Amino acid sequence: MFINIFKVFLKNIMKSFHIHIKGVVQGVGFRPFVYRHAKENNLKGWVNNTTDGVHIQINTDAISANNFLQELLEHLPPLAIVTSFNIHETELQVHNGFEIIQSNSNARPNLLLTPDVALCKDCKKELYHPENRRYLYPFITCTNCGPRYSIIKKLPYDRVTTTMATFEMCNVCWEEYNNPMERRHFSQTNSCPDCAIEMQLYENNQWTKNFVNLDYIVEKWKEGKIVAIKGIGGFLLTCDATNQKVVNTLRKRKKRPFKPLALMYPNSLAINEDAILKEDEKKELESIYAPIVLLPVRSLSERKNNLATEAINKGLSRIGVMLPYTPLYDLLLQRFNRPIIATSGNITDSTIIYEDEKAIGELSGIADVILLNNRDIVVPQDDGVIQFSEKNRQKITLRRSRGKAPIYINSKLRLPENTVFAAGSMLKSVFGIISSQNIYISQYLGNTESFDAQLNYEKTFRHFQQILVADIDTVIVDKHPDYFSTRFAKDVAEKNKAKVVELQHHVAHLYSVLGENNLLHCENKILGVVWDGTGLGEDGNIWGGEFFVYDKGNVERAFHLNEFDLILGDKMAKEPRISAIAIAGDIEGSEKYLKRKFTDLEWTIYQKMLGNKENLRCTSMGRLFDAVSSILLNCDVHRFEAEASMRLENLASKYYYNNNMTLADTYLNEDTLPENFVKYLFQEIMNDLDNGVGKEIIAAKFHISLVGYITHVANMLNIDKLAFSGGVFQNTLLVDMLNDFMRGKFELYFQNEFSPNDEGIPFGQLMYFARNKTK
Ligand SMILES: [Zn+2]
Ligand SMILES: [Zn+2]
């Protein structure tokens, strides 16, 4: 009798509840976190980590179960991100305690891969604490930091599925690993000096196994030697950044004569001694993503570290800096206490080298010493790069890579159930995937003009395909048939019997900025301003100065930069002087600015080519920048990508930020837009040159005129919401001017998480598909 009453009582209050949590929940200490909270609340049941997220079962009443879920969501581990969760009552099961049960790996993965993140504060404290057992251990990690994406072979994330599988933990580590109350419970990267990841040194064809002497590396830097170091996503080439001679040697050996080189500093304070570091930039540098941040370099008299600046950034106004993001780099930099060059270990344009054998083969021609370790890298990644506009502090992503890839989370997006592969572009190749309604965006994969980058692209794609067990049903490609990515993806489509969708390059840019600003379902018209170097247009010409009207999922090319002739194919993008002659060659009086840039023979041939009715036509804003830079700065041949426009921006910035300029300083008049804006602009610029106006003023006026141009078009079309994308909007000055002159009267949207350059294309391709599938 009593027992029966008790059973009824129990049935009324004690129930079993199942909680399912999705998002970034693996490799972030989620199970021990749940365990600790369950213990604190005296709950019985279990937690499990599977390929579709974390599952929890608890016995309690409905109110406590919901409270428990709330408690979890409010106190997530630092790296965890929850994208969805649900709770429901399930059949009553009896449990004796709370346990963590084994992962199963049968189901199709539906969770986000955790990116590689920088050394955390707790580990850093332990690293420098003499009594800690990991004191000065270069591979210290915990569930809140260290490599993930770069070492994972398949899901779920468990030690056996990573390149840590071959390391056997010592007893102490094993105890930590199995103790749910420890920060390193189920930390798959767990190791210590007793069960260490070992370093090897390769120098003069000789190996030193079990290498530990970090002072030796510091000595090498001091001696002016180049050291290749295996990090998280691959090898970096390093040397003393205050030694001009070694920096030049590195440039020569790496075959990278001019492109700026990135720096690594021991700490933010030291960065601030050489560059102007603002709070938002410092926050980024010290974040878990630890990207390279481009900062304005201080004048020579202000600088403290005797940086070999000219050799590093070739006279540009910004330097790219980062902080040590692994314990190994931190230990080395604290010892050296000076900035080092830290540039991707490769021959320029190919993929960052990440395999030991390849490093020995290819980097020994560049580095004097190679520091390796026996933790293998599965997925190579470069460092991410960002910058902020000087005045309005608009964040601009230039490369989205380590720390960010391969995830993107935006709970407001409506995603289709399809499995979609977006192939991206060519020069800045990245691809995207939608699978199980998650978005994956790969790291930067290199310039797929190089065979190496093509292999990297394919390998990374196969890796994703295998990890996600994804049966692709739709493939989205750029309209350009000759891009490697387009060809590759069409091949994938054929093998998978998937549908192929072609999307115009600049329309993809537009969808990228709309997607990340949650404007895909906007009720109002939006003017999309998409300016870049090149992309194949719907009409077979080369576009790049485009104005689109986006109206609830419909895109119309409403306006564009005046067309000019495209001659000599790719050579035109590489030689700004050709853009100058193509744009301004037929303007009266231009000869005196142009002719000296060419030999007589070139001049005659190019003149003849121009005006040929067979020529492709081009509306590229990138080429307009090139042309102006050629006229003003004699930047006639690019020594590195986008050099001409960067130098033009530099020149204009110097004047603009120190003088009070307004929209009235445009070359345009207020009422009407000249029929040929491009020619008009050149005529005005040459008039100013004839009249001896300072080049920095002309450069600033050119930038302001572009804002004036956009304002005219927006007014003409009567649209007050503007979204900007395309490589031109990496220009911080232009972004500042748009904010200075247009904000208030117009609503402005920029890319932020994704790059406005072609790296943002695959996300845009996915957004196009998502918008059209989820009306
Ligand atoms: Zn840590
Ligand atoms: Zn150990």
Side-chain angles (χ1 to χ4, degrees):
M1 176 73 178
F2 176 75
I3 290 171
N4 276 343
I5 291 171
F6 181 72
K7 270 189 180 162
V8 172
F9 174 72
L10 194 73
K11 212 174 165 189
N12 281 341
I13 61 146
M14 188 62 82
K15 295 171 172 167
S16 282
F17 289 87
H18 188 101
I19 299 173
H20 182 192
I21 299 178
K22 288 201 273 189
V24 180
V25 292
Q26 290 204 343
V28 297
F30 211 94
R31 283 177 293 175
F33 154 77
V34 173
Y35 178 91
R36 284 192 291 271
H37 281 270
K39 283 282 184 193
E40 277 165 23
N41 288 290
N42 273 319
L43 292 172
K44 293 182 172 157
W46 50 256
V47 55
N48 188 16
N49 192 7
T50 73
T51 41
D52 72 346
V54 165
H55 292 264
I56 303 164
Q57 187 137 322
I58 44 170
N59 284 352
T60 184
D61 60 86
I63 293 173
S64 314
N66 275 299
N67 286 346
F68 179 65
L69 174 60
Q70 275 315 313
E71 188 181 321
L72 294 181
L73 296 174
E74 279 163 25
H75 299 90
L76 293 176
L79 297 184
I81 304 169
V82 170
T83 53
S84 71
F85 56 86
N86 65 61
I87 179 167
H88 64 266
E89 194 184 332
T90 175
E91 197 181 319
L92 185 68
Q93 285 173 28
V94 181
H95 302 287
N96 296 322
F98 196 88
E99 55 178 344
I100 296 177
I101 57 179
Q102 274 305 321
S103 304
N104 82 51
S105 58
N106 301 324
R108 180 176 168 195
N110 176 5
L111 50 78
L112 293 161
L113 293 157
T114 311
D116 301 321
V117 294
L119 177 66
C120 77
K121 289 207 167 66
D122 290 332
C123 284
K124 189 161 175 172
K125 226 183 268 166
E126 293 172 356
L127 181 63
Y128 292 106
H129 195 297
E131 266 143 52
N132 192 280
R133 64 189 201 88
R134 290 189 180 84
Y135 179 55
L136 306 184
Y137 174 57
F139 299 95
I140 186 170
T141 60
C142 72
T143 44
N144 302 328
C145 71
R148 301 284 187 279
Y149 174 49
S150 63
I151 60 166
I152 186 167
K153 290 178 173 166
K154 59 185 263 205
L155 287 173
Y157 177 73
D158 257 335
R159 191 148 172 133
V160 289
T161 59
T162 71
T163 58
M164 288 300 294
T166 50
F167 295 88
E168 201 173 319
M169 276 180 263
C170 71
N171 286 340
V172 188
C173 282
W174 181 243
E175 264 168 38
E176 277 176 337
Y177 183 86
N178 285 298
N179 180 355
M181 304 314 266
E182 274 278 346
R183 190 168 101 249
R184 293 190 174 86
H185 180 51
F186 287 169
S187 169
Q188 312 303 356
T189 49
N190 205 24
S191 68
C192 79
D194 293 327
C195 56
I197 293 169
E198 283 174 11
M199 293 186 288
Q200 307 88 39
L201 191 79
Y202 183 82
E203 187 180 13
N204 298 326
N205 296 320
Q206 303 231 315
W207 286 95
T208 310
K209 301 269 175 190
N210 203 0
F211 176 84
V212 289
N213 184 6
L214 294 183
D215 288 328
Y216 186 77
I217 302 296
V218 173
E219 278 314 308
K220 290 286 153 188
W221 282 337
K222 285 183 183 158
E223 286 169 19
K225 297 280 197 272
I226 297 166
V227 187
I229 302 174
K230 185 177 176 184
I232 296 259
F235 284 80
L236 291 185
L237 287 162
T238 66
C239 68
D240 182 355
T242 67
N243 179 339
Q244 186 170 331
K245 199 171 152 222
V246 69
V247 178
N248 286 330
T249 307
L250 174 60
R251 283 195 173 283
K252 215 160 115 197
R253 293 188 191 164
K254 193 176 144 85
K255 300 194 175 80
R256 176 163 159 158
F258 299 109
K259 198 175 167 193
L261 296 164
L263 298 157
M264 191 184 277
Y265 275 76
N267 52 55
S268 304
L269 272 177
I271 290 176
N272 196 41
E273 290 171 351
D274 287 343
I276 300 160
L277 179 64
K278 301 222 164 116
E279 215 32 59
D280 43 12
E281 292 154 340
K282 183 166 176 270
K283 221 170 121 191
E284 290 283 345
L285 283 166
E286 293 175 355
S287 72
I288 57 170
Y289 317 114
I292 295 170
V293 183
L294 303 188
L295 300 174
V297 63
R298 288 188 187 278
S299 65
L300 184 61
S301 59
E302 285 179 348
R303 288 202 293 268
K304 296 229 171 83
N305 290 300
N306 201 21
L307 208 60
T309 320
E310 182 52 36
I312 292 165
N313 77 339
K314 297 290 167 187
L316 290 172
S317 63
R318 290 183 176 229
I319 48 172
V321 303
M322 61 181 147
L323 289 172
Y325 50 85
T326 71
L328 175 59
Y329 288 135
D330 204 83
L331 290 166
L332 289 167
L333 267 290
Q334 298 321 318
R335 281 172 165 78
F336 190 51
N337 204 25
R338 257 188 262 166
I340 57 164
I341 300 288
T343 180
S344 302
N346 58 4
I347 304 282
T348 290
D349 272 349
S350 44
T351 308
I352 186 170
I353 289 171
Y354 65 102
E355 295 145 315
D356 295 350
E357 245 173 65
K358 206 166 172 192
I360 300 299
E362 295 188 20
L363 293 181
S364 39
I366 305 177
D368 302 294
V369 181
I370 304 179
L371 181 61
L372 305 99
N373 65 67
N374 59 350
R375 180 177 65 200
D376 288 337
I377 297 168
V378 181
V379 180
Q381 283 188 92
D382 293 273
D383 298 309
V385 187
I386 62 160
Q387 64 180 343
F388 285 82
S389 75
E390 205 162 318
K391 201 169 149 201
N392 295 285
R393 312 312 293 167
Q394 175 73 45
K395 181 176 146 192
I396 301 170
T397 298
L398 303 173
R399 186 194 294 152
R400 193 175 184 273
S401 223
R402 176 185 48 73
K404 295 274 191 176
I407 59 170
Y408 172 70
I409 294 168
N410 177 346
S411 56
K412 290 192 181 137
L413 287 177
R414 301 179 208 166
L415 298 174
E417 280 166 14
N418 301 62
T419 305
V420 190
F421 166 40
S425 190
M426 179 177 70
L427 296 181
K428 301 201 176 299
S429 68
V430 168
F431 64 76
I433 288 177
I434 292 177
S435 169
S436 302
Q437 294 183 299
N438 293 314
I439 291 184
Y440 303 86
I441 300 289
S442 81
Q443 70 277 22
Y444 164 71
L445 298 163
N447 175 352
T448 48
E449 281 176 323
S450 100
F451 180 61
D452 224 34
Q454 294 181 3
L455 289 179
N456 186 34
Y457 184 103
E458 172 161 7
K459 198 172 165 190
T460 311
F461 173 76
R462 302 275 175 233
H463 182 60
F464 265 77
Q465 211 180 14
Q466 186 214 328
I467 282 191
L468 301 173
V469 200
D471 275 329
I472 287 154
D473 60 58
T474 311
V475 164
I476 310 177
V477 298
D478 196 279
K479 274 192 98 68
H480 202 303
D482 298 332
Y483 283 180
F484 166 77
S485 59
T486 306
R487 281 186 277 119
F488 176 80
K490 283 184 174 167
D491 222 42
V492 169
E494 206 178 302
K495 287 193 184 108
N496 287 267
K497 298 195 174 61
K499 197 173 100 189
V500 176
V501 179
E502 284 183 354
L503 184 63
Q504 199 277 326
H505 187 91
H506 302 95
V507 176
H509 271 303
L510 171 66
Y511 271 94
S512 186
V513 62
L514 295 179
E516 73 162 302
N517 286 290
N518 298 308
L519 293 168
L520 293 171
H521 294 272
C522 180
E523 287 297 315
N524 307 98
K525 285 185 182 177
I526 298 167
L527 179 62
V529 185
V530 182
W531 289 356
D532 70 357
T534 176
L536 182 61
E538 298 283 2
D539 59 1
N541 284 320
I542 299 301
W543 292 6
E546 311 309 307
F547 291 91
F548 295 107
V549 174
Y550 180 85
D551 188 6
K552 298 187 214 75
N554 292 313
V555 177
E556 188 198 338
R557 188 191 194 202
F559 205 76
H560 59 79
L561 199 66
N562 310 90
E563 291 179 342
F564 46 89
D565 276 3
L566 185 134
I567 54 167
L568 297 158
D570 287 349
K571 195 173 160 79
M572 184 150 154
K574 288 177 179 139
E575 300 189 11
R577 61 183 187 143
I578 295 169
S579 294
I581 190 178
I583 290 173
D586 60 350
I587 297 176
E588 215 181 286
S590 64
E591 202 173 314
K592 79 170 169 200
Y593 294 107
L594 294 174
K595 195 156 189 288
R596 59 164 186 260
K597 298 177 185 297
F598 303 92
T599 64
D600 287 346
L601 184 63
E602 282 172 337
W603 182 255
T604 317
I605 294 174
Y606 297 169
Q607 289 284 6
K608 218 178 257 169
M609 290 174 96
L610 288 165
N612 183 336
K613 294 230 159 40
E614 308 277 284
N615 284 341
L616 276 180
R617 303 283 280 166
C618 164
T619 58
S620 162
M621 185 55 80
R623 296 297 82 81
L624 179 60
F625 267 85
D626 285 355
V628 175
S629 188
S630 168
I631 298 271
L632 286 186
L633 283 161
N634 291 317
C635 225
D636 291 330
V637 177
H638 277 138
R639 297 179 302 173
F640 55 88
E641 193 203 337
E643 182 186 9
S645 46
M646 277 161 93
R647 293 202 188 277
L648 188 63
E649 176 191 346
N650 272 202
L651 182 73
S653 297
K654 262 182 221 152
Y655 189 81
Y656 180 74
Y657 291 117
N658 294 308
N659 290 278
N660 241 333
M661 296 186 91
T662 67
L663 197 51
D665 290 300
T666 165
Y667 283 117
L668 296 167
N669 84 38
E670 215 178 295
D671 312 321
T672 52
L673 200 56
E675 199 175 315
N676 194 326
F677 169 69
V678 172
K679 298 265 189 238
Y680 170 85
L681 202 58
F682 259 85
Q683 187 71 64
E684 291 292 312
I685 288 173
M686 286 189 289
N687 286 347
D688 266 1
L689 280 172
D690 289 344
N691 293 328
V693 177
K695 289 183 174 172
E696 66 285 355
I697 301 177
I698 299 176
K701 281 170 78 178
F702 164 70
H703 278 80
I704 294 177
S705 301
L706 297 180
V707 181
Y709 180 51
I710 293 172
T711 310
H712 266 290
V713 176
N715 286 333
M716 191 171 78
L717 298 167
N718 202 12
I719 300 177
D720 61 4
K721 275 188 162 54
L722 278 73
F724 302 92
S725 188
V728 168
F729 296 101
Q730 295 171 105
N731 182 320
T732 56
L733 174 65
L734 187 60
V735 166
D736 261 348
M737 285 176 170
L738 288 166
N739 277 293
D740 285 349
F741 302 139
M742 294 189 79
R743 206 175 277 286
K745 291 177 227 118
F746 298 91
E747 274 178 53
L748 311 178
Y749 297 93
F750 294 92
Q751 303 246 242
N752 180 306
E753 185 60 34
F754 292 103
S755 176
N757 72 33
D758 284 2
E759 276 196 27
I761 292 270
F763 176 68
Q765 292 171 331
L766 293 178
M767 289 301 97
Y768 168 79
F769 186 77
R771 176 62 178 83
N772 287 294
K773 270 278 166 175
T774 57
K775 292 224 189 258

